[in-house]
Amino acid sequence: MGQTPMLDKKHKCFIPCQLFFLFICLNRAPFTIANDQFVYFGFAQANLSLDGAATITPDGLLELTNGTFNLKGHALYPTPLHFRMSPSGYAQSFSISFVFSILSAYPDKSADGMTFFVTRNKNFSSALPAQYLGLLNNQNNGKASNHIFAVELDTNENSEFQDINGNHVGINMNSLHSVQSHDASFFDDKTGMFKNLSLISREMMQVWVECDGGATKVDVTLAPIKMAKPARPLLSTIYDLSTVFTDTTYIGFSSATGVIN
Ligand SMILES: *[C@@H]1O[C@H](CO)[C@@H](O)[C@H](O)[C@H]1NC(C)=O
Ligand SMILES: *[C@@H]1O[C@H](CO)[C@@H](O)[C@H](O)[C@H]1NC(C)=O
Ligand SMILES: *[C@@H]1O[C@H](CO)[C@@H](O)[C@H](O)[C@H]1NC(C)=O
Ligand SMILES: *[C@@H]1O[C@H](CO)[C@@H](O)[C@H](O)[C@H]1NC(C)=O
């Protein structure tokens, strides 16, 4: 076949986004009793709450969205977690790692991306697809009352959110305008330089999200699969997460498809 099949322009927007597996480790402060640790290799047994386009494939992968346009999909861990200590109000340390792959129908474009989030509210019925990443909408974007912390893997440049480009990782607090963002890249321990990655390369990549004791520092690291965690994170920001987390929180993933310009 010499011809690439042409798609109806209206449907020119694909980001079937698959998450392959997930390790979550919540490192609790020393004075609490138990450690919460979840390790999933495949999601078949994970009993996640799914909505929108999200499904678990027969081979146990979490697929958040498929090749239809203007979709959103969410997968949440069904049990609430305590990311804030009572009565002190400190946000607690945690680390999470997951592996994902973005499988676009186009070799060089995709919209719009996905997020890992920690949220107070697990009802995303009013969240919008496309550039809102299934996380927020045009009414609540930027409001402190959202109580959402997210790490975005953003494959589209949206000037209204001051996106740096169409291939970046961002740390977001209650907003799609990132507190900090960086070209998708990883720190190469050998050369001491950051090397670019393409989020839509169809390659599997790993993300680490780590919040320190007292949770005022957030580090996000990206690397190709099979690579040990690089010595330096891609993003590192000081932010008091106790202002974002509520006593009861949910963790999960969102993805959205939109239209490619
Ligand atoms: C799965 O999650 C649902 C809530 O979403 C809960 O009612 C059910 O007990 C859970 N099942 C297992 C096996 O954990
Ligand atoms: C994608 O998911 C939506 C919502 O679940 C569904 O209506 C649609 O048929 C699916 N499209 C494909 C191409 O699988
Ligand atoms: C989710 O929120 C919408 C309004 O945004 C509301 O209509 C709906 O009942 C809520 N669903 C649940 C399960 O609370
Ligand atoms: C990495 O990508 C960014 C954004 O596309 C570009 O500005 C930069 O020059 C690239 N860096 C390298 C080392 O290729």
Side-chain angles (χ1 to χ4, degrees):
M1 298 276 162
Q3 283 267 325
T4 313
M6 278 310 293
L7 289 150
D8 171 349
K9 210 168 173 106
K10 193 170 66 151
H11 291 93
K12 209 178 149 200
C13 37
F14 282 76
I15 178 178
C17 177
Q18 297 192 332
L19 279 174
F20 288 85
F21 52 86
L22 168 70
F23 319 89
I24 308 169
C25 178
L26 293 175
N27 300 310
R28 297 204 164 216
F31 52 88
T32 56
I33 308 151
N35 265 31
D36 280 343
Q37 177 159 359
F38 321 99
V39 179
Y40 298 139
F41 292 93
F43 288 101
Q45 309 301 321
N47 193 28
L48 297 175
S49 305
L50 305 179
D51 73 27
T55 57
I56 304 290
T57 65
D59 42 358
L61 305 181
L62 169 60
E63 186 181 276
L64 287 167
T65 50
N66 63 37
T68 301
F69 102 121
N70 275 344
L71 285 179
K72 51 181 183 167
H74 302 93
L76 282 93
Y77 185 72
T79 312
L81 299 169
H82 302 287
F83 276 61
R84 210 169 78 143
M85 312 298 300
S86 287
S88 65
Y90 288 127
Q92 77 169 33
S93 303
F94 71 93
S95 63
I96 175 168
S97 172
F98 60 91
V99 172
F100 72 96
S101 174
I102 292 174
L103 306 172
S104 175
Y106 291 84
D108 58 346
K109 1 173 116 168
S110 180
D112 275 277
M114 60 168 285
T115 75
F116 160 74
F117 59 75
V118 179
T119 178
R120 174 174 70 173
N121 183 357
K122 59 177 178 170
N123 181 348
F124 287 99
S125 61
S126 65
L128 292 174
Q131 71 269 32
Y132 291 94
L133 300 175
L135 202 63
L136 293 167
N137 62 38
N138 53 352
Q139 305 294 313
N140 65 11
N141 184 44
K143 295 203 170 149
S145 54
N146 293 327
H147 294 284
I148 292 184
F149 157 75
V151 173
E152 64 173 32
L153 304 168
D154 194 335
T155 57
N156 208 19
E157 182 174 350
N158 296 105
S159 54
E160 77 248 60
F161 305 138
Q162 285 82 48
D163 283 353
I164 54 170
N165 58 33
N167 180 51
H168 63 270
V169 182
I171 294 174
N172 296 11
M173 306 291 178
N174 300 317
S175 174
L176 289 152
H177 179 185
S178 302
V179 172
Q180 195 180 95
S181 62
H182 198 287
D183 307 321
S185 51
F186 70 98
F187 185 75
D188 182 348
D189 296 348
K190 289 198 195 87
T191 62
M193 314 264 278
F194 279 92
K195 274 196 183 157
N196 282 349
L197 288 171
S198 166
L199 293 173
I200 61 165
S201 61
R202 309 179 78 85
E203 299 294 329
M204 286 198 271
M205 297 176 209
Q206 187 162 2
V207 176
W208 293 262
V209 181
E210 295 159 298
C211 300
D212 74 343
T216 53
K217 182 162 167 274
V218 183
D219 287 347
V220 177
T221 310
L222 179 70
I225 190 84
K226 293 184 186 156
M227 185 178 284
K229 193 178 92 176
R232 277 175 58 179
L234 178 61
L235 299 170
S236 185
T237 191
I238 301 293
Y239 199 98
D240 182 2
L241 281 167
S242 70
T243 64
V244 179
F245 293 164
T246 47
D247 289 346
T248 297
T249 46
Y250 295 89
I251 63 168
F253 296 92
S254 76
S255 175
T257 58
V259 181
I260 290 172
N261 303 312

